[in-house]
Amino acid sequence: MKDSKTVVFTSYKPKTETFVIEDFKVKDLDDKKENPNCFARFFQNMATTLLRPFGTTKILVHILVCVFAIASWADLNGMWSELPLLVMKAKEGWMLPSYITIICQIANIGPILFVLVSFLAPHLKPRIEKVTSFVVIIISMVASFLLAFFWDQSSVVGGSEHSLALLTLNFFLALGDCTSSVSFYAFMSLMKPEYMASLFIGEGLSGMLPALIALGQGAGDIICYNKTVYNVYPMYVEANFSVKVFFLILAGIIAASAVSFLLLNFWGYCKSEMVEQLPDDMEKVIPSTGDKGNSNSYGAIDDLDGMRRFDKNSTNGHLNGHTVDNGHDGPYLYENGDTHSGASKNNYEEKEKASVIVTSKGKENHCRLLPPTDIPTWMFFLLLSLVVVINMTLTSFLPTIQIYTVLPYGLEYYHLATTLSQIANPVACFVALFLMAEKIIVIIWLTVLGQVCVGYLTYVAATSPEPPLHGHEEGGELAVALWIVVTLLLIYAKVCIAGILRKHGRTALIWAGVATQFGALIGAIVGFLLVNEYHLFLDAPYC
């Protein structure tokens, strides 16, 4: 008996010129007809410009992805923002940051286990990334809630008193946040590639929101009190609300992230934005031709404009003698040469085409799509190396020495640097949403320029408490500007790298998460040794 041929499908819909905002649709945005109302035409053109980067994706889903991603680092960033108040009662005093840093590195056991399970038991996908992501959100929410009530409790350990509850809950915060670097990335492989930038916007907000809340709280605000003519002492200003309220607010924000994650997975409006996962015995095929410079192209299987498709309801389960899998909805991919009568062949002749190779496996036929190989292996690992460097410097090393880079110029410059750099993070991600760099050379130059800024800030920290331009306003302004620039450059480069790796699916994104945590680990160790062991950086007085 002749083997039948199985047709493979994908959940992607053909690209159109319709932008969807909930129930509002702007159709035929490229229509050149004159609009008698100049204001209407102006707003129509504005809508075209602003909505075009979103393609056929949904604005509300972008928002939900952002809110979901806030849970990635909100709790741990909140703890760092709250340090000036925590150290007042913590038994470790200003040694508390060192303890937090070490605990965060121990918590990397979470992403290590996730990666091991992902590779040893690939049949668990996509359940493992969904379950893991939800579990880490719940862990972060519960730990933040418990911190509100037990952060100032101490216990005797090894003959000395320690903030055992604070440090224990800090471990669970770090465990969830570190694991989110791989599980959240893996989860995003289930969604359309256009949503990747929204994930990074949410990650940026996970640092900005706690910083703004701490700013409104007045955490760390200091006034200089003149006790005598020659003696000036710093005094902390009483906070506008307590540490308890701060952590309860964080727990509420993370609870909103949990709700967003549930909506992304179970609300039909959002589920339509999911990408159908191919079985393990099916692989992608690289398009033989096409415009590689198209910023909306996210890999061979993602650009359905160049793939043949048909309406399954008009086939009654068969197409040219081939069996059609009617178990799912959506467009289908099938052998080149098999076209649906309702599809215009001319629409595809000048676009990319995907091939489908039909193979037999025992008595069953399986359609295999070859994996994309349009990027050299060395380039793939180059991108991972850039991720390591970016996270080594920006995520862990620079925060370790931040106080030494700005405080010598004045306390107001220090507050400006910490706040504006947190705001610059989501701004860079938002820019990437509309303008994504896809050329490797551009990303390399962005990273190099960012490292130049890192080098100068490190030099400033090494010369503290009397760095270059000490005593001049220009020095403080330059330091604050460099903190903003380095954040914009490196975060933007990181988002662009993730956009490129997204073309290669789930495994590439998991490795991006591993590279993120590996870089953060190296930076934390280097910063810890330079600050606590070699005492390379000297404190500057607050006043």
Side-chain angles (χ1 to χ4, degrees):
M1 179 177 178
K2 185 179 179 180
D3 291 340
S4 62
K5 298 183 178 181
T6 303
V7 176
V8 182
F9 58 89
T10 175
S11 63
Y12 264 138
K13 297 180 179 179
K15 294 183 180 179
T16 64
E17 289 297 328
T18 300
F19 299 103
V20 183
I21 310 178
E22 295 184 348
D23 293 329
F24 172 72
K25 295 186 179 180
V26 182
K27 295 185 178 179
D28 299 326
L29 294 178
D30 292 330
D31 191 4
K32 302 301 182 181
K33 294 181 179 180
E34 290 292 332
N35 193 323
N37 190 324
C38 61
F39 290 102
R41 185 166 62 253
F42 170 77
F43 287 112
Q44 183 182 17
N45 293 335
M46 181 180 293
T48 302
T49 303
L50 293 178
L51 299 179
R52 189 175 296 280
F54 295 100
T56 57
T57 58
K58 301 175 180 178
I59 303 297
L60 181 56
V61 179
H62 280 280
I63 295 174
L64 291 176
V65 171
C66 286
V67 177
F68 150 64
I70 290 175
S72 57
W73 293 93
D75 45 10
L76 207 53
N77 285 330
M79 178 169 285
W80 284 105
S81 300
E82 202 70 355
L83 269 180
L85 299 181
L86 296 179
V87 297
M88 291 183 182
K89 290 189 177 181
K91 302 305 177 182
E92 294 78 12
W94 276 105
M95 290 295 292
L96 182 62
S98 300
Y99 283 91
I100 293 177
T101 301
I102 295 301
I103 290 174
C104 288
Q105 305 318 310
I106 297 175
N108 276 308
I109 186 66
I112 292 174
L113 289 176
F114 179 86
V115 172
L116 289 177
V117 173
S118 295
F119 282 98
L120 295 178
H123 62 279
L124 294 178
K125 70 175 185 179
R127 294 191 303 273
I128 182 173
E129 43 260 48
K130 291 183 177 181
V131 173
T132 303
S133 296
F134 186 70
V135 168
V136 299
I137 293 175
I138 296 301
I139 289 176
S140 299
M141 181 181 67
V142 172
S144 299
F145 181 80
L146 293 177
L147 272 173
F149 300 94
F150 301 106
W151 71 273
D152 56 349
Q153 302 296 314
S154 59
S155 303
V156 177
V157 180
S160 58
E161 206 168 7
H162 289 280
S163 304
L164 185 60
L166 176 65
L167 296 176
T168 302
L169 291 173
N170 173 68
F171 170 77
F172 286 101
L173 294 182
L175 180 66
D177 293 357
C178 292
T179 307
S180 71
S181 292
V182 289
S183 66
F184 283 16
Y185 286 16
F187 173 75
M188 290 307 296
S189 69
L190 307 178
M191 302 194 68
K192 292 181 179 179
E194 290 87 346
Y195 293 106
M196 199 68 200
S198 298
L199 177 80
F200 284 99
I201 293 176
E203 282 194 358
L205 291 175
S206 73
M208 187 182 77
L209 288 180
L212 293 178
I213 296 172
L215 190 64
Q217 181 190 26
D221 287 352
I222 296 175
I223 59 174
C224 295
Y225 175 68
N226 296 326
K227 187 174 182 180
T228 65
V229 177
Y230 301 101
N231 296 317
V232 181
Y233 294 92
M235 294 183 60
Y236 281 102
V237 179
E238 185 177 355
N240 296 323
F241 51 86
S242 65
V243 175
K244 177 180 179 180
V245 173
F246 179 86
F247 281 114
L248 287 177
I249 294 175
L250 283 186
I253 292 175
I254 299 173
S257 298
V259 173
S260 297
F261 183 74
L262 292 176
L263 290 175
L264 289 173
N265 283 277
F266 297 105
W267 187 18
Y269 180 83
C270 301
K271 290 177 68 176
S272 64
E273 300 302 284
M274 295 288 183
V275 177
E276 189 72 32
Q277 294 297 294
L278 297 176
D280 291 335
D281 59 353
M282 301 167 68
E283 300 171 332
K284 298 177 185 177
V285 165
I286 308 231
S288 57
T289 60
D291 181 10
K292 300 300 180 183
N294 186 356
S295 61
N296 291 328
S297 176
Y298 285 86
I301 200 169
D302 297 329
D303 187 5
L304 291 187
D305 286 343
M307 298 184 179
R308 305 191 182 269
R309 48 190 178 263
F310 63 93
D311 181 5
K312 74 167 187 179
N313 295 325
S314 64
T315 63
N316 295 324
H318 297 277
L319 179 67
N320 294 347
H322 298 168
T323 303
V324 179
D325 185 352
N326 284 334
H328 299 77
D329 293 328
Y332 292 80
L333 307 183
Y334 49 99
E335 282 189 287
N336 284 341
D338 288 342
T339 60
H340 181 242
S341 59
S344 175
K345 183 177 180 180
N346 295 330
N347 292 337
Y348 309 114
E349 286 181 348
E350 297 180 357
K351 295 179 179 292
E352 297 178 352
K353 292 183 175 62
S355 300
V356 176
I357 300 177
V358 180
T359 60
S360 297
K361 197 172 184 181
K363 294 184 178 180
E364 299 180 2
N365 292 325
H366 298 272
C367 188
R368 303 189 61 191
L369 298 174
L370 302 179
T373 57
D374 55 337
I375 181 173
T377 303
W378 66 266
M379 189 174 295
F380 176 74
F381 285 103
L382 173 63
L383 292 175
L384 291 183
S385 300
L386 292 177
V387 172
V388 171
V389 172
I390 290 172
N391 285 277
M392 178 182 67
T393 53
L394 187 64
T395 303
S396 54
F397 177 70
L398 279 183
T400 304
I401 66 171
Q402 185 177 47
I403 193 170
Y404 305 102
T405 63
V406 192
L407 187 60
Y409 299 107
L411 192 59
E412 65 276 10
Y413 290 114
Y414 174 66
H415 285 301
L416 277 175
T418 55
T419 303
L420 295 181
S421 61
Q422 294 288 358
I423 295 176
N425 190 319
V427 169
C429 300
F430 190 75
V431 171
L433 182 63
F434 292 89
L435 183 63
M436 181 79 72
E438 294 188 341
K439 293 186 177 180
I440 305 298
I441 188 63
V442 174
I443 296 175
I444 292 176
W445 273 111
L446 290 172
T447 307
V448 170
L449 290 176
Q451 298 310 310
V452 171
C453 298
V454 172
Y456 179 81
L457 291 173
T458 305
Y459 173 72
V460 170
T463 55
S464 176
E466 294 185 358
L469 299 177
H470 179 256
H472 299 275
E473 292 184 356
E474 292 80 2
E477 294 170 355
L478 177 60
V480 172
L482 285 177
W483 266 100
I484 297 174
V485 170
V486 72
T487 303
L488 290 173
L489 290 175
L490 296 184
I491 291 295
Y492 179 76
K494 179 181 176 181
V495 176
C496 293
I497 293 172
I500 294 176
L501 295 179
R502 172 63 182 86
K503 298 178 182 180
H504 304 280
R506 178 178 182 270
T507 302
L509 288 177
I510 289 179
W511 280 113
V514 172
T516 297
Q517 290 307 116
F518 182 67
L521 172 63
I522 296 176
I525 294 175
V526 172
F528 180 84
L529 292 176
L530 294 180
V531 174
N532 295 282
E533 295 297 326
Y534 297 103
H535 304 286
L536 181 61
F537 309 108
L538 301 178
D539 295 332
Y542 285 102
C543 299

